[in-house]
């Protein structure tokens, strides 16, 4: 059996062999791999990663980088059906300008991405093109402010009543 980092290096090598400079390695550690892919290539890379054995999305997160005027979306993946991948987290990441907050949905690759993408849409305003339900999931129906996880969002003032209790 290969040592953990060797397994991750082999997985990364197969991705790089297939996609070349369309994929950028961010890090490889025991039980952790993170790559960055342009949104134009994310569906093809995601399909390849799925076929390597990473068959479940365990979370999708978005991050607002105001100094770079960009968003990053991270898909955290595991291989439930593959004993040697169950404890390895694969982070498939894409970065794009904040003034174009959209990226293709990965629901056709991983149906388990559905609610994670929907939450990321609601909290950051990132549109997952092709997603069948880009609609409110968690926020109140009367929410009329910008998405709350954007850095420019400001909490409304809270009125504090003073008096005896």
């Amino acid at each position: 059996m290969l040592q953990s980092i060797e397994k991750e290096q082999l997985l990364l090598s197969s991705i790089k062999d297939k996609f070349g400079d369309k994929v950028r390695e961010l890090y490889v550690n025991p039980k952790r791999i993170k790559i960055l892919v342009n949104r134009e290539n994310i569906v093809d890379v995601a399909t390849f990663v799925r076929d390597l054995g990473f068959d479940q999305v365990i979370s999708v997160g978005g991050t607002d980088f105001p100094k770079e005027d960009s968003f990053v979306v991270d898909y955290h993946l595991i291989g439930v059906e593959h004993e040697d991948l169950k404890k390895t987290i694969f982070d498939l990441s894409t970065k794009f300008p904040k003034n174009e907050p959209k990226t293709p949905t990965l629901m056709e690759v991983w149906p388990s991405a559905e609610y994670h993408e929907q939450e990321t849409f609601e909290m950051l305003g990132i549109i997952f093109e092709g997603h069948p339900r880009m609609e409110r999931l968690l926020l109140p129906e009367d929410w009329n402010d910008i998405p709350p996880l954007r850095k420019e969002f400001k909490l409304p003032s809270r009125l504090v009543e003073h008096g005896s209790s």
Side-chain angles (χ1 to χ4, degrees):
M1 185 165 161
L2 296 173
Q3 290 182 355
S4 185
I5 193 72
E6 291 175 10
K7 175 184 67 174
E8 282 80 6
Q9 289 289 359
L10 286 172
L11 289 165
L12 183 61
S13 291
S14 65
I15 296 166
K16 285 182 170 182
D17 289 347
K18 172 91 173 155
F19 294 100
D21 62 0
K22 294 178 183 176
V23 171
R24 191 171 123 219
E25 171 187 339
L26 296 180
Y27 61 77
V28 177
N29 295 318
K31 300 191 185 326
R32 299 283 185 270
I33 303 169
K34 183 171 185 172
I35 64 172
L36 181 66
V37 179
N38 291 335
R39 64 182 162 187
E40 295 79 17
N41 304 111
I42 195 163
V43 174
D44 292 337
V45 174
T47 302
F48 188 78
V49 169
R50 180 204 57 206
D51 294 346
L52 288 175
F54 291 93
D55 52 17
Q56 286 294 317
V57 172
I58 57 172
S59 71
V60 176
T63 307
D64 181 356
F65 290 97
K67 290 181 183 175
E68 299 173 20
D69 204 26
S70 65
F71 286 122
V72 171
V73 172
D74 292 288
Y75 288 82
H76 301 105
L77 315 164
I78 59 171
V80 174
E81 296 296 322
H82 303 278
E83 196 61 40
D84 59 332
L85 297 180
K86 279 184 179 178
K87 295 181 181 178
T88 300
I89 308 269
F90 192 107
D91 185 337
L92 176 61
S93 183
T94 188
K95 184 177 185 176
F96 43 86
K98 203 169 175 177
N99 66 353
E100 296 176 35
K102 58 186 177 183
T103 188
T105 182
L106 295 184
M107 276 185 57
E108 289 189 23
V109 179
W110 295 291
S112 56
E114 179 178 4
Y115 294 108
H116 300 291
E117 288 181 349
Q118 197 173 351
E119 179 183 7
T120 303
F121 161 73
E122 185 175 25
M123 295 295 146
L124 282 162
I126 297 169
I127 297 166
F128 293 87
E129 296 179 310
H131 191 291
R133 284 173 289 289
M134 286 284 89
E135 58 195 31
R136 194 156 283 156
L137 179 68
L138 300 170
L139 292 173
E141 289 180 16
D142 61 348
W143 183 266
N144 62 359
D145 207 336
I146 64 172
L149 292 183
R150 286 190 177 205
K151 297 297 184 187
E152 64 267 23
F153 175 76
K154 302 291 183 219
L155 283 174
S157 299
R158 302 288 184 222
L159 297 175
V160 179
E161 291 184 27
H162 297 285
S164 60
S165 36

